[in-house]
Amino acid sequence: MRPLLTLCAMLSISLFIPLKAIAAGHYKVDSKVSTVSFATIKKQYVVEPAVISGLSGNLDDKGMLSVMVPLKNLDTGVSIRNDRLNELFFNAATFSDVKISAQVPAELMKGDRVITQATIPATVTLYGKTQTLDFMLNIVRVGEIISVSSVKPVIVDAGSFGIPKANLQAVSKTVGDIAISATVAVNVSLVLIK
């Protein structure tokens, strides 16, 4: 019995050390403060801001960033507008998340402190379609915290992700057939903690 306990203890220790070492290089997205924001434009001049919170994801020790943006957390400040955008426009019952992934340059992962501005291409999957978008970002890494924020918004056209015009028209019909732009300016704010 004693050799079995010793073997179990040794296996536990040998498994724990590599897992701890692997996890040491990982950063996790802080879902309490990380957001994606955008603004819709209706009637050509009326701007309505929206934010999506509760993001999740991580940055591994090889610099691969993966982020999930849950559309159910969309907040425009008006609950009926949230529901209409999720149900009629994004079809969130089928496409519940926006997926973002990017390779972070190795030089941004070195040293104790990094403060820089960089344009990083990211693959974005929305409505089942994937596109590469360039994000111009301010990146600050101090110790075990990384902060990433947009320098300028990324312009996203719904049609380029295959969202049918009929979806936007359905939202428009709920508010008296007013004109709503299919193009939005998107900003990102991420905090990652080791």
Side-chain angles (χ1 to χ4, degrees):
M1 180 71 169
R2 180 168 231 160
L4 181 59
L5 288 174
T6 303
L7 178 63
C8 288
M10 289 174 65
L11 281 172
S12 296
I13 290 169
S14 67
L15 288 174
F16 175 73
I17 291 171
L19 289 175
K20 187 174 180 184
I22 290 168
H26 288 240
Y27 287 82
K28 183 178 175 188
V29 172
D30 186 339
S31 62
K32 290 179 262 171
V33 294
S34 297
T35 60
V36 169
S37 61
F38 62 93
T40 57
I41 301 171
K42 67 181 185 183
K43 294 186 188 178
Q44 195 173 10
Y45 302 108
V46 179
V47 179
E48 296 177 332
V51 65
I52 304 173
S53 58
L55 281 59
S56 62
N58 64 54
L59 174 64
D60 69 21
D61 56 353
K62 293 181 180 152
M64 181 51 71
L65 174 67
S66 299
V67 179
M68 297 293 279
V69 181
L71 291 173
K72 69 179 180 184
N73 292 348
L74 171 69
D75 183 7
T76 63
V78 178
S79 66
I80 190 76
R81 190 181 305 141
N82 301 344
D83 294 342
R84 288 173 177 162
L85 284 172
N86 266 315
E87 293 167 15
L88 302 174
F89 184 71
F90 288 116
N91 190 10
T94 303
F95 305 105
S96 60
D97 297 303
V98 177
K99 297 174 182 91
I100 303 169
S101 62
Q103 182 65 50
V104 177
E107 60 270 14
L108 298 180
M109 302 299 291
K110 294 178 183 171
D112 292 334
R113 183 178 146 182
V114 174
I115 299 173
T116 192
Q117 196 171 86
T119 299
I120 297 181
T123 58
V124 178
T125 302
L126 168 64
Y127 210 79
K129 186 169 181 181
T130 301
Q131 297 243 352
T132 299
L133 302 175
D134 288 331
F135 289 82
M136 189 172 182
L137 304 167
N138 283 326
I139 302 166
V140 177
R141 183 173 58 76
V142 178
E144 297 187 347
I145 297 175
I146 300 173
S147 175
V148 177
S149 60
S150 297
V151 172
K152 66 179 184 176
V154 174
I155 306 304
V156 177
D157 178 57
S160 68
F161 281 96
I163 298 177
K165 287 182 182 180
N167 290 21
L168 190 58
Q169 290 167 347
V171 173
S172 175
K173 285 183 191 217
T174 66
V175 289
D177 279 330
I178 61 170
I180 302 173
S181 176
T183 303
V184 296
V186 178
N187 288 292
V188 175
S189 176
L190 299 175
V191 174
L192 298 101
I193 300 173
K194 199 168 196 178

